[in-house]
Amino acid sequence: MASVDPQKVYDVVVVGGGPAGLMASLCLTTYGFNILHIDERPHPTTAGRADGIQPRTIEVLRNIGGVSNAPVPGGPIAGLSPIAGGGVAKKMISKGVRVYEVAFWDPTADQKLARTSRAPSCPEFIDVVDNYTLLLHQGLIEEAFLDEIEARRNLLRDPIPTPRSGIFRPYTLRDCRTLPSSDLLSSTHPVECVIEHGDSKAKHTIRSRYLLGCDGAKSHVRRCISGGEEGDGEWKGLITMQGEATDIVWGVLDARVKTNFPDIKYKCLIHSKSEGSIMIIPREANLVRFYVQLQSTEGGQIVSITRDKATLDICIARAKKIFEPFELEFGYVDWFSVYQIGQRIASQYTLDHRIILGGDATHTHSPQAGQGMNISMLDMYSLAWKLNLVIKGLGKPEILLPSYEHERRGVAEELLKFDGAYSRLFSGRGPDAKHLPGGVDAEKFIEMFKQNAFFTSGCGAIYFANELNALPGAKLLDGRHRRAFNPPGVKLVAGQRMTPGHVTRVADGNNVRLQQEVKMNGAFRIHIFAGDLRWTRPALEAFAAFIDSPDSFFERHRVSPGVPSSIVDGPAAVMNHDDHAKHTHTFNPFFTFLTIVGTHWYEWEIADLPSPLRLYRSQVYGDALFDHRVAEADTNAPLHRKFGIDMQKGAIVVVRPDSYVGAIVDLSEDGWLGLNDYFAGFLNVAPMKAKM
Amino acid sequence: MASVDPQKVYDVVVVGGGPAGLMASLCLTTYGFNILHIDERPHPTTAGRADGIQPRTIEVLRNIGGVSNAPVPGGPIAGLSPIAGGGVAKKMISKGVRVYEVAFWDPTADQKLARTSRAPSCPEFIDVVDNYTLLLHQGLIEEAFLDEIEARRNLLRDPIPTPRSGIFRPYTLRDCRTLPSSDLLSSTHPVECVIEHGDSKAKHTIRSRYLLGCDGAKSHVRRCISGGEEGDGEWKGLITMQGEATDIVWGVLDARVKTNFPDIKYKCLIHSKSEGSIMIIPREANLVRFYVQLQSTEGGQIVSITRDKATLDICIARAKKIFEPFELEFGYVDWFSVYQIGQRIASQYTLDHRIILGGDATHTHSPQAGQGMNISMLDMYSLAWKLNLVIKGLGKPEILLPSYEHERRGVAEELLKFDGAYSRLFSGRGPDAKHLPGGVDAEKFIEMFKQNAFFTSGCGAIYFANELNALPGAKLLDGRHRRAFNPPGVKLVAGQRMTPGHVTRVADGNNVRLQQEVKMNGAFRIHIFAGDLRWTRPALEAFAAFIDSPDSFFERHRVSPGVPSSIVDGPAAVMNHDDHAKHTHTFNPFFTFLTIVGTHWYEWEIADLPSPLRLYRSQVYGDALFDHRVAEADTNAPLHRKFGIDMQKGAIVVVRPDSYVGAIVDLSEDGWLGLNDYFAGFLNVAPMKAKM
């Protein structure tokens, strides 16, 4: 396969084979696109680098799931998803270690170093299933992506031949630009790029619909579109990197150690009295990640060790010093690097919504908060479903594409604000990066750590009002049906992830996680919380009739028959043995319905539900499973209670393909007409010829 | 590898490559033995056969775990177990489907067929993590075993070359016998067998320490040792198969169907008015397993269809008839078979404790209760750890080997009793297998089903008083320290599995399942429930001093240095970064200590615990995690509460290598002296030269 050459035309070119580029490739492959994915490194990462996966990222990876290429006895099953257990999340979890608790060590009145506080990685108030940070080296993370991309490429309808997992290496981007629309190809594939093989120097000119720059802090893509001279794109081009560097230098290494430090298997934030700070993180294979502040004291003055002088030996010596009085003996070292603390963000993520940047190409900061890789991956996760809608002709590009930067820049800015304060404080500096007279203010630091747990878990990455998030401030909320949005008492919030809950899948009686029932497949998930059927049955029937009427969002926003929303699901996730039954509903792959009934599921049948809801057989649920977050142990419908949904009224919760809540409306005519307006805000009306 | 020939001498010969034989091979390989494993089939199972894995079996498979052969950066880590995530349980779970609920369908006054009742597969009162039945065809189950055996063979110190996963096929056992002790080899390897290649007819004569007959209902091994003519071992040899067959014939098939029957994804027990009964079970790949009673009505009389006339077509026709008024259309059929209901048990499992039978070779019954494969696998799971102790010279063969039949026959007899009544009732027959005048007594049947849930989940497989189970009736309980056994209030019971509970592993703050912390490695797990340290510290210190004293069971029962208890753990499961610390404790691989402290783990340090308990760093736990089975939500130590352990007194719970509770004693001198007596009952006293 090494001899495969790139072709001339692709849907999307992805530049960069790190976590952001891999997430882009995995998602876009899932949506059925042919990707040209290049990386200038000859091989994937083998050690070190980013190593922390946060709870929300695990949740996302679980939602991406895993496909199985195993042959099915009796041949493929129409309408049955090839999504199987396992997948990227489980592969990573099986190889990594978990951090549930963080310990803070500081000098005290009578001890050189003592544990002064503890904090959970992910405090109880954050409602997330995997309530820990998962640690493993970046190579293992990349490997899980590469395996899954390979498995999904096998499901593409018309795959373009590629090397394994789709990555051409070593290939460098030499140029890229968006051409003016002059012919048929440039109307659909206006992006032109030139890539060069690292060894043979053979050049290829490629055309694509979009090009994604996931090529890191020194992004070639950014320089190409930004202009300016090589290496100076940060300050002279159209896109500038805003923010600042400090003189604070840290070393980072992965090593095996012997020590009598009791918390060596915890994430620890350690401040010595005058020798600087260390953060340690436990890692796979008995390794320990050390972040070591590189400073020394010369003549009573604290002096930073400059980047060029920071060797492994110095780093180890500093670590031993900071660990005193504990013994610390270094063995095998798996990886070593040095970095300088600074925070920068790109002034723009894109100039034309065709060549789009993400990940480290748009934001850089210190690694200690364990956020960079997570936010970079989620940048691409967030962009991919929007591209899917746009390329297939269903989404309005003028709304969806700008929403990428709107939503993700907000998160990156929040991160930079936190990281700037946190990394300086951890280094014993003030907001101006000047040395604090008393060294590290432990109390303030611990306070800051705890206050930011919601954000650092990833669960606090909140999106604000726009066409996709029906929140006060969005135009939609001034519209005709405004009163139907965000019913009082409901605790789910548009622009935030849907929180977890266990329900019973009525079709087979299985206990399942509602959140994970529909895997990432490009569809909007319309959750009908039906409450108590004694009260809600008329509304439920009216809603069902509405869905099948020509004026519903479901009928209005369709693409050409045969264009799927993704490769992982048939037209509907119907676990169906009765497909010889007659019905008129034609599935729309971009919408799927989940009906959660508060009345105990022993008291009604799926067949009692109005069509089309009952046709989504595998997505009808009973709500009667214990949830320890619901104080009243004998609540009939714990998830309705947890989400604050009125049992007499019910509610409709729209979850976007990225598992963010998009809109919450009453289960009433005003509610579903409101949803019509919501979807009309960013989706095209049929008949629209799909652009694929 | 196909050209590998069997060698002359093995530790154990295992005959039969089904689930029982595979379990024997997996466990014995884990304990470090070289196995000759033969199967007369040229290939593993590819479809159908046994398909239900019960909750207790999943628990056991999880405890066996999975090893990783992946290279470790920086080389192997002394004392760090190669046990990794995944393993047999997870592989099966990812491929199977789950049954949480059972539905009962019967004729009613106004409907030909209606759902008359429901029951959970595994009711809430059964405290088990995987509270469902897992369904997948036997070939997938075998495959998971074969993969894991292969991975473990790579960890053997001196592996004898074998084909993949250790199974020689097609090989038939031609003869086997135990030789009188006449030379050195026969004193250690007294078993001789002759095996023959299925194609070449080449014969090999093999010597081994033990031979296990896992070769099914028509066991060659049984016939060899039992004597009698071919095929008549059931009634004429030394070992007779006791019990009886009936004229009740059932067909069984795995198929894809289309139907409007609403519970097609449930386990359903369906009784028609006069056409017989059906059981359906959902299966992987959208298959449905059908058990179809084969009878017809001729001239008002119910007539059984005899086995020779039972074709697939008849089976399908009967199924459609019984399903009326529901539509049922058959598509792809994956597997089909016919069986006749009967229950038989071998009069003896062994004649000399050298050639030992298990699984279907010792007990056969109807498949509908979903028990056969489970109990067969657990037969071998149960035998293997006893063989491990005996072969390594630590266990007393005269106690341990007979305990296999004592414990497992009890379970098999319980099964046969249940199955006999259940399968007859389900077929509309009385205890005498005669037709009941009113057909199936639905109410009685449902009652019987529910009453037996504890047993059919596998969790109710209870062992009675013997040297291994310190229960009233055991000689030990008349001994000097009898008052220390089974402290009042404690809810764990010797001879039953240890029930689950979540705890915090103090070494790294991880939330873990206590039950699964020590994987199956041949060691006894000594759980010290330390209660409230304010009260128990003196007892804890005295116990720790006792352990390191020459008179403790820990010091008395040792094998030669260097003989491990298994391949999956070093001398102790110590997650240890401080092995340069000085200590005198020499680990004994056959015992491991788990200390569970009721005082909140923020209030003490591992270093505060007495040595040697603190040396088992990775097995020190805090008990502060919510458990919904403990009514009082704010209980300090929920697991102490759940297990009924007095916080002021603590307790010691010995769990056998098969995760059954062996003994429970006070945390007092009487208690640990009682444990000395307990272990002396079946273990040899050092210095004893290991027989390996």
Side-chain angles (χ1 to χ4, degrees):
Chain A
M1 292 294 273
S3 63
V4 176
D5 263 345
Q7 302 290 300
K8 300 270 175 235
V9 180
Y10 288 87
D11 292 316
V12 182
V13 173
V14 177
V15 183
L22 289 167
M23 178 64 96
S25 170
L26 178 56
C27 292
L28 291 170
T29 302
T30 305
Y31 296 136
F33 298 114
N34 269 299
I35 310 304
L36 173 70
H37 194 182
I38 63 166
D39 190 22
E40 58 183 11
R41 300 174 300 166
H43 305 290
T45 302
T46 54
R49 304 189 65 178
D51 64 358
I53 301 187
Q54 301 299 347
R56 166 61 183 165
T57 310
I58 302 174
E59 184 174 271
V60 164
L61 294 172
R62 282 193 191 275
N63 198 245
I64 292 174
V67 305
S68 165
N69 292 149
V72 177
I77 305 161
L80 196 81
S81 157
I83 281 271
V88 275
K90 286 194 182 165
K91 268 180 207 148
M92 292 179 197
I93 289 170
S94 75
K95 288 178 180 164
V97 300
R98 303 175 184 199
V99 164
Y100 284 83
E101 287 259 338
V102 182
F104 301 86
W105 288 75
D106 299 284
T108 62
D110 54 351
Q111 283 177 282
K112 200 164 174 187
L113 211 50
R115 191 194 304 110
T116 53
S117 185
R118 303 186 199 244
S121 280
C122 184
E124 171 68 13
F125 77 86
I126 303 174
D127 189 359
V128 65
V129 173
D130 298 280
N131 58 338
Y132 52 85
T133 306
L134 178 68
L135 283 308
L136 67 170
H137 78 72
Q138 188 175 319
L140 296 172
I141 296 167
E142 292 181 7
E143 191 178 279
F145 272 102
L146 292 169
D147 287 350
E148 190 61 31
I149 291 167
E150 181 67 13
R152 292 186 188 213
R153 281 191 51 79
N154 289 327
L155 300 173
L156 284 179
R157 284 188 187 179
D158 305 300
I160 296 178
T162 69
R164 184 175 177 284
S165 304
I167 305 195
F168 288 88
R169 20 173 131 241
Y171 271 95
T172 308
L173 182 90
R174 280 291 161 223
D175 198 10
C176 66
R177 58 187 181 136
T178 306
L179 300 172
S181 180
S182 59
D183 55 15
L184 196 62
L185 185 64
S186 59
S187 75
T188 60
H189 294 72
V191 180
E192 184 180 86
C193 68
V194 179
I195 63 173
E196 182 184 281
H197 192 278
D199 303 326
S200 74
K201 305 296 172 195
K203 285 195 167 107
H204 300 265
T205 301
I206 315 280
R207 293 288 288 274
S208 64
R209 299 171 192 273
Y210 295 89
L211 184 146
L212 309 183
C214 303
D215 50 347
K218 294 177 181 172
S219 171
H220 290 292
V221 176
R222 192 178 67 218
R223 186 170 46 78
C224 286
I225 61 173
S226 172
E229 285 159 45
E230 185 152 1
D232 71 359
E234 281 78 359
W235 58 91
K236 280 195 190 151
L238 294 174
I239 298 175
T240 55
M241 293 303 285
Q242 303 174 330
E244 54 188 25
T246 67
D247 65 334
I248 310 170
V249 172
W250 286 67
V252 49
L253 73 159
D254 295 340
R256 295 229 190 100
V257 296
K258 290 185 183 177
T259 183
N260 57 353
F261 181 70
D263 287 0
I264 194 71
K265 284 278 183 193
Y266 284 77
K267 175 171 172 177
C268 294
L269 299 156
I270 304 167
H271 297 124
S272 68
K273 195 160 170 141
S274 56
E275 302 295 336
S277 299
I278 274 189
M279 179 165 90
I280 61 168
I281 299 174
R283 279 272 305 282
E284 80 285 356
N286 239 19
L287 294 166
V288 181
R289 158 75 48 109
F290 286 81
Y291 291 97
V292 185
Q293 190 179 1
L294 297 178
Q295 65 175 34
S296 62
T297 315
E298 287 171 18
Q301 286 287 313
I302 298 173
V303 184
S304 288
I305 295 167
T306 55
R307 203 159 163 170
D308 53 319
K309 288 185 185 148
T311 62
L312 175 62
D313 285 346
I314 287 182
C315 199
I316 285 177
R318 295 310 304 164
K320 290 162 89 94
K321 197 85 191 155
I322 300 169
F323 256 66
E324 285 176 3
F326 294 100
E327 294 166 46
L328 181 66
E329 196 182 313
F330 280 79
Y332 167 75
V333 175
D334 198 44
W335 183 72
F336 169 64
S337 184
V338 173
Y339 64 91
Q340 196 155 350
I341 286 180
Q343 289 79 30
R344 291 186 181 279
I345 187 165
S347 58
Q348 284 177 272
Y349 279 28
T350 180
L351 296 174
D352 62 358
H353 302 297
R354 285 287 179 178
I355 298 175
I356 304 170
L357 304 171
D360 287 358
T362 48
H363 41 76
T364 60
H365 43 86
S366 73
Q368 284 131 312
Q371 297 301 309
M373 176 178 61
N374 291 273
I375 289 189
S376 293
M377 291 196 291
L378 296 178
D379 282 350
M380 288 300 115
Y381 171 70
S382 175
L383 175 59
W385 71 270
K386 297 171 180 179
L387 280 181
N388 184 37
L389 290 175
V390 168
I391 297 177
K392 289 177 183 163
L394 191 65
K396 295 180 179 172
E398 69 278 16
I399 303 291
L400 285 167
L401 297 181
S403 78
Y404 159 66
E405 182 169 339
H406 174 258
E407 294 184 343
R408 297 307 299 172
R409 169 184 286 278
V411 175
E413 282 171 350
E414 180 82 10
L415 166 61
L416 263 57
K417 205 172 71 185
F418 162 65
D419 182 67
Y422 177 80
S423 62
R424 282 165 179 76
L425 200 57
F426 193 32
S427 307
R429 311 286 188 103
D432 55 358
K434 296 233 169 79
H435 291 281
L436 293 170
V440 174
D441 181 340
E443 211 169 304
K444 194 169 161 192
F445 176 73
I446 293 168
E447 186 61 26
M448 180 186 286
F449 182 90
K450 291 183 181 176
Q451 274 175 356
N452 283 279
F454 187 45
F455 181 75
T456 55
S457 74
C459 299
I462 288 172
Y463 299 154
F464 299 103
N466 63 16
E467 287 82 353
L468 296 169
N469 307 315
L471 285 168
K475 220 168 62 187
L476 186 66
L477 273 278
D478 298 329
R480 293 169 290 179
H481 306 293
R482 61 183 173 276
R483 289 212 190 84
F485 285 86
N486 304 314
V490 174
K491 288 165 193 162
L492 293 171
V493 184
Q496 300 192 20
R497 58 190 264 280
M498 186 168 88
T499 48
H502 277 87
V503 288
T504 306
R505 188 164 58 203
V506 178
D508 63 4
N510 275 212
N511 298 357
V512 297
R513 295 181 186 166
L514 180 61
Q515 203 190 25
Q516 296 293 352
E517 275 288 277
V518 177
K519 295 294 177 192
M520 181 193 80
N521 64 0
F524 287 88
R525 308 159 189 179
I526 318 291
H527 295 80
I528 301 102
F529 283 90
D532 185 333
L533 290 178
R534 287 174 303 178
W535 298 87
T536 59
R537 197 177 286 277
L540 213 55
E541 277 167 12
F543 175 65
F546 163 77
I547 287 300
D548 272 349
S549 74
D551 286 338
S552 74
F553 61 86
F554 182 82
E555 290 299 333
R556 277 182 178 167
H557 306 295
R558 281 187 180 272
V559 296
S560 310
V563 175
S565 63
S566 77
I567 55 171
V568 295
D569 261 329
V574 182
M575 185 194 289
N576 211 341
H577 288 269
D578 68 341
D579 42 31
H580 66 325
K582 305 288 172 287
H583 54 75
T584 55
H585 182 81
T586 308
F587 293 102
N588 179 341
F590 290 91
F591 298 96
T592 192
F593 295 91
L594 302 96
T595 307
I596 306 100
V597 178
T599 306
H600 194 283
W601 61 281
Y602 279 11
E603 293 168 28
W604 49 272
E605 302 282 329
I606 294 176
D608 297 344
L609 295 178
S611 168
L613 300 185
R614 68 164 177 259
L615 299 179
Y616 296 77
R617 269 192 83 74
S618 64
Q619 293 171 192
V620 173
Y621 306 93
D623 176 11
L625 295 176
F626 175 83
D627 187 328
H628 77 281
R629 289 176 185 273
V630 178
E632 303 77 0
D634 59 348
T635 300
N636 285 330
L639 195 59
H640 279 72
R641 174 75 64 106
K642 186 164 93 167
F643 287 170
I645 290 164
D646 188 325
M647 285 282 280
Q648 295 190 13
K649 292 182 178 165
I652 307 176
V653 178
V654 174
V655 171
R656 318 178 338 172
D658 56 2
S659 64
Y660 269 75
V661 176
I664 306 161
V665 296
D666 289 334
L667 180 58
S668 73
E669 188 174 12
D670 241 10
W672 51 79
L673 292 178
L675 289 189
N676 258 12
D677 290 353
Y678 169 75
F679 285 112
F682 57 89
L683 296 183
N684 288 315
V685 172
M688 171 86 192
K689 204 179 165 308
K691 283 185 189 153
M692 280 201 86
Chain B
M1 291 294 273
S3 63
V4 176
D5 265 344
Q7 303 289 300
K8 301 270 175 234
V9 180
Y10 288 87
D11 292 315
V12 182
V13 173
V14 178
V15 183
L22 288 167
M23 178 65 96
S25 170
L26 178 56
C27 292
L28 292 170
T29 302
T30 304
Y31 296 136
F33 298 114
N34 270 300
I35 311 303
L36 174 70
H37 194 183
I38 64 166
D39 191 23
E40 58 183 12
R41 301 173 300 165
H43 305 290
T45 301
T46 53
R49 304 189 66 177
D51 65 357
I53 301 187
Q54 301 299 347
R56 167 60 183 166
T57 310
I58 302 174
E59 185 174 89
V60 164
L61 294 173
R62 282 192 191 277
N63 198 246
I64 292 174
V67 305
S68 166
N69 292 148
V72 177
I77 306 162
L80 196 80
S81 158
I83 281 270
V88 275
K90 286 192 182 167
K91 269 180 207 149
M92 293 180 198
I93 289 170
S94 75
K95 287 178 182 164
V97 301
R98 303 177 183 197
V99 164
Y100 284 83
E101 288 259 338
V102 182
F104 301 86
W105 288 76
D106 299 285
T108 62
D110 54 352
Q111 282 178 283
K112 199 162 175 189
L113 212 50
R115 191 195 303 110
T116 53
S117 185
R118 304 186 198 245
S121 280
C122 184
E124 171 68 14
F125 78 86
I126 303 173
D127 190 0
V128 63
V129 173
D130 297 281
N131 59 338
Y132 53 84
T133 306
L134 179 68
L135 283 310
L136 67 170
H137 79 71
Q138 188 174 319
L140 296 172
I141 295 167
E142 292 181 8
E143 190 180 280
F145 272 102
L146 291 168
D147 288 351
E148 190 61 30
I149 291 166
E150 180 67 13
R152 293 188 186 211
R153 281 191 52 79
N154 289 328
L155 299 173
L156 284 178
R157 283 187 188 180
D158 304 301
I160 297 180
T162 69
R164 185 175 175 283
S165 305
I167 304 195
F168 288 88
R169 18 175 134 239
Y171 271 95
T172 308
L173 182 90
R174 280 291 161 225
D175 198 11
C176 65
R177 58 188 180 135
T178 305
L179 301 172
S181 182
S182 59
D183 55 14
L184 196 62
L185 185 63
S186 60
S187 76
T188 60
H189 294 71
V191 180
E192 184 180 85
C193 68
V194 179
I195 63 172
E196 182 184 279
H197 192 278
D199 303 324
S200 74
K201 306 294 172 196
K203 286 195 167 109
H204 301 265
T205 302
I206 316 279
R207 292 290 287 273
S208 63
R209 300 172 191 273
Y210 295 89
L211 183 146
L212 309 184
C214 303
D215 50 348
K218 295 178 180 171
S219 170
H220 290 293
V221 175
R222 194 179 63 217
R223 186 168 48 76
C224 287
I225 60 172
S226 172
E229 285 160 46
E230 184 152 2
D232 71 358
E234 281 77 359
W235 58 91
K236 282 195 189 152
L238 294 174
I239 298 177
T240 55
M241 292 304 285
Q242 302 173 330
E244 53 188 24
T246 67
D247 65 335
I248 310 170
V249 173
W250 286 67
V252 49
L253 72 158
D254 295 341
R256 295 229 190 101
V257 296
K258 290 184 182 178
T259 182
N260 57 353
F261 181 70
D263 287 359
I264 194 71
K265 284 279 183 192
Y266 283 77
K267 175 172 173 177
C268 293
L269 300 157
I270 304 167
H271 297 124
S272 69
K273 194 159 171 143
S274 56
E275 301 294 337
S277 299
I278 276 189
M279 180 165 87
I280 60 168
I281 298 174
R283 279 272 305 282
E284 80 284 356
N286 239 18
L287 295 167
V288 181
R289 158 76 47 110
F290 286 81
Y291 291 97
V292 185
Q293 189 179 0
L294 296 178
Q295 64 175 34
S296 62
T297 315
E298 287 172 18
Q301 286 287 314
I302 297 173
V303 183
S304 287
I305 295 167
T306 53
R307 203 160 162 169
D308 54 318
K309 290 185 184 147
T311 62
L312 175 61
D313 286 345
I314 287 182
C315 200
I316 285 177
R318 296 311 303 165
K320 290 162 88 98
K321 197 85 192 156
I322 299 168
F323 255 65
E324 286 178 2
F326 294 100
E327 294 166 45
L328 181 65
E329 196 182 314
F330 280 79
Y332 167 74
V333 175
D334 198 43
W335 184 72
F336 169 64
S337 186
V338 173
Y339 63 91
Q340 196 155 350
I341 287 180
Q343 289 78 30
R344 291 187 181 278
I345 187 165
S347 57
Q348 285 177 274
Y349 280 27
T350 180
L351 296 175
D352 62 357
H353 301 298
R354 284 287 180 179
I355 299 175
I356 305 171
L357 304 171
D360 287 357
T362 47
H363 41 75
T364 60
H365 43 85
S366 73
Q368 284 131 311
Q371 297 301 310
M373 175 177 62
N374 291 273
I375 289 189
S376 294
M377 290 196 292
L378 297 177
D379 282 350
M380 287 301 114
Y381 171 69
S382 174
L383 175 59
W385 70 269
K386 296 172 179 178
L387 281 181
N388 183 38
L389 290 175
V390 168
I391 297 177
K392 289 177 183 164
L394 190 65
K396 295 181 178 171
E398 69 279 16
I399 303 291
L400 285 167
L401 297 181
S403 78
Y404 159 66
E405 183 169 339
H406 175 256
E407 295 185 343
R408 297 307 299 171
R409 169 184 286 279
V411 175
E413 281 171 351
E414 180 83 10
L415 166 61
L416 264 57
K417 205 172 71 183
F418 162 65
D419 183 66
Y422 178 80
S423 62
R424 283 166 179 73
L425 201 58
F426 193 33
S427 306
R429 310 287 188 102
D432 54 359
K434 295 234 169 80
H435 291 281
L436 293 170
V440 175
D441 183 339
E443 211 168 306
K444 194 167 161 193
F445 176 73
I446 294 167
E447 187 60 27
M448 179 184 287
F449 181 91
K450 291 183 181 176
Q451 273 175 357
N452 283 280
F454 187 46
F455 181 75
T456 55
S457 74
C459 299
I462 287 172
Y463 299 154
F464 299 104
N466 63 15
E467 287 83 352
L468 296 169
N469 307 315
L471 285 168
K475 220 168 61 188
L476 186 66
L477 273 280
D478 299 328
R480 294 168 291 178
H481 305 292
R482 62 183 173 277
R483 287 212 192 85
F485 284 87
N486 303 314
V490 174
K491 289 165 191 160
L492 294 171
V493 185
Q496 301 191 21
R497 60 190 262 282
M498 186 168 88
T499 48
H502 277 87
V503 288
T504 306
R505 188 164 58 204
V506 178
D508 63 4
N510 275 212
N511 299 357
V512 297
R513 295 180 186 167
L514 180 60
Q515 202 190 28
Q516 296 294 352
E517 275 288 277
V518 177
K519 295 294 176 191
M520 182 193 79
N521 65 0
F524 287 88
R525 307 159 189 179
I526 318 291
H527 296 80
I528 301 103
F529 284 89
D532 185 332
L533 291 178
R534 287 175 303 179
W535 299 86
T536 60
R537 197 178 287 277
L540 213 56
E541 277 167 12
F543 175 64
F546 162 77
I547 287 300
D548 273 348
S549 75
D551 286 338
S552 74
F553 61 87
F554 182 82
E555 290 299 334
R556 277 182 178 168
H557 306 295
R558 282 186 180 272
V559 296
S560 311
V563 174
S565 62
S566 77
I567 56 170
V568 295
D569 263 328
V574 183
M575 185 195 291
N576 212 343
H577 288 269
D578 68 341
D579 43 30
H580 66 324
K582 305 287 175 286
H583 55 75
T584 55
H585 182 81
T586 309
F587 294 102
N588 179 341
F590 290 92
F591 298 96
T592 191
F593 295 91
L594 303 96
T595 307
I596 306 100
V597 178
T599 307
H600 195 284
W601 61 281
Y602 279 11
E603 293 168 28
W604 48 271
E605 303 280 329
I606 294 176
D608 296 343
L609 296 178
S611 169
L613 301 184
R614 68 164 177 259
L615 299 179
Y616 296 77
R617 269 192 82 74
S618 63
Q619 293 171 192
V620 174
Y621 306 93
D623 176 12
L625 295 176
F626 175 83
D627 187 328
H628 77 280
R629 289 177 185 273
V630 178
E632 303 77 1
D634 59 347
T635 300
N636 285 330
L639 195 59
H640 279 71
R641 174 75 64 106
K642 186 163 93 169
F643 288 169
I645 290 163
D646 187 326
M647 285 282 280
Q648 294 190 14
K649 293 182 178 164
I652 307 176
V653 178
V654 174
V655 171
R656 319 179 335 172
D658 57 1
S659 63
Y660 270 75
V661 175
I664 307 160
V665 296
D666 288 333
L667 180 58
S668 72
E669 189 173 11
D670 241 10
W672 51 79
L673 293 177
L675 289 188
N676 258 13
D677 290 353
Y678 169 76
F679 285 112
F682 57 90
L683 295 183
N684 290 314
V685 172
M688 171 84 192
K689 203 178 165 308
K691 284 187 188 153
M692 281 204 83

